[in-house]
Amino acid sequence: MEIRRMRREDLTQAAALEEKCFGADAWSMQAFADALEDENALYLTCIVEEEGLIAYCGIWRSFEDGDITNVAVDERYRKKGFARLLLRELMQKSAASGVENFTLEVRESNLPAIRLYESLGFVTEGIRKNFYRNPNENALIMWKR
Ligand SMILES: CC(C)(COP(=O)(O)OP(=O)(O)OC[C@H]1O[C@@H](n2cnc3c(N)ncnc32)[C@H](O)[C@@H]1OP(=O)(O)O)[C@@H](O)C(=O)NCCC(=O)NCCS
C-alpha cells in the first residue's frame, strides 16, 4: 500500500469511487482534474497493488485555514484505518505548509464519518440547515483548530 498525491492517471478511478459514494452530489472527473492543477488544493490517494486507487481525500487551502472537501474509501476497504491514515497525512502535509485550522462539512446522519473526524480531534461548531440535497439534510460544520 502506498499513499501518494493524486495524479491524472487516477482520475477515472477517483471519479468512479466518488460517484459510488455520493451519487447525484458526486464531483465530476473535471472537478478533480481542476483540483490537481490548483496550487491551493492537495489530494492524496491510497493505492494498493492489486486494485489501484482504493481511497482519496482532498483539502483546499485558504490562508491558514484548510477545507477538507472529499473523503472516500472503497466499501471493501472500510474500517481498516485507511481514512484515518490518509487524513493524518493530509493534515500533516498541510500543516507543514502553514495550515493551522481544518474544517469540513458532514451530513448529520453520517455517523461513520462523524466518528472518524472526532477521532482526529474535530469538534462540531455549527449546523448549516438543509445544506444537502438528495435527500435534504443538515450539515454539521466541524473544526480542528
Ligand atoms: C467515512 C469513511 C471515509 C470512513 O473510512 P474508513 O477507512 O472506513 O475509516 P477508518 O477505518 O479509518 O476509521 C477510523 C475511525 O472512524 C470511525 N468509523 C469508521 N467507520 C465507522 C462505522 N461504520 N461506524 C462507526 N464508526 C466508524 C471509527 O471511530 C474509526 O476508528 P476505530 O476503527 O478505531 O473505531 C468511509 O466510511 C466512506 O468512504 N464513507 C462513504 C463516503 C463518505 O461518507 N465520506 C465522508 C463524507 S463527509
Side-chain angles (χ1 to χ4, degrees):
M1 194 274 292
E2 180 194 9
I3 292 182
R4 60 156 172 77
R5 275 175 179 257
M6 193 182 286
R7 303 174 186 154
R8 292 198 71 83
E9 73 210 44
D10 301 319
L11 288 176
T12 307
Q13 277 195 301
L17 178 53
E18 172 85 5
E19 164 87 38
K20 253 195 229 164
C21 291
F22 303 111
D25 289 335
W27 281 35
S28 65
M29 203 188 302
Q30 187 58 49
F32 283 102
D34 291 346
L36 299 194
E37 301 296 318
D38 195 309
E39 61 179 22
N40 292 312
L42 173 64
Y43 275 70
L44 296 181
T45 60
C46 246
I47 307 288
V48 297
E49 212 168 280
E50 60 282 18
E51 301 263 5
L53 180 151
I54 55 115
Y56 60 80
C57 63
I59 188 168
W60 289 74
R61 179 180 179 180
S62 169
F63 302 98
E64 69 278 12
D65 293 343
D67 192 352
I68 296 174
T69 44
N70 313 70
V71 183
V73 177
D74 184 304
E75 236 174 337
R76 293 164 300 160
Y77 288 87
R78 286 183 192 161
K79 301 197 77 179
K80 297 179 193 299
F82 285 116
R84 187 154 49 206
L85 198 67
L86 261 184
L87 283 169
R88 283 216 172 111
E89 182 84 15
L90 189 78
M91 290 192 288
Q92 238 167 43
K93 281 192 158 37
S94 302
S97 70
V99 177
E100 293 170 12
N101 310 305
F102 297 91
T103 187
L104 53 84
E105 289 116 16
V106 56
R107 281 184 183 268
E108 66 182 358
S109 68
N110 192 348
L111 280 184
I114 293 166
R115 296 284 171 268
L116 163 70
Y117 304 137
E118 285 173 345
S119 82
L120 287 162
F122 283 81
V123 293
T124 300
E125 291 197 6
I127 292 182
R128 215 160 264 156
K129 288 273 177 203
N130 292 316
F131 181 73
Y132 293 104
R133 299 275 168 269
N134 318 301
N136 264 19
E137 192 173 341
N138 298 338
L140 301 187
I141 303 164
M142 302 184 83
W143 281 89
K144 177 182 165 79
R145 298 181 189 274

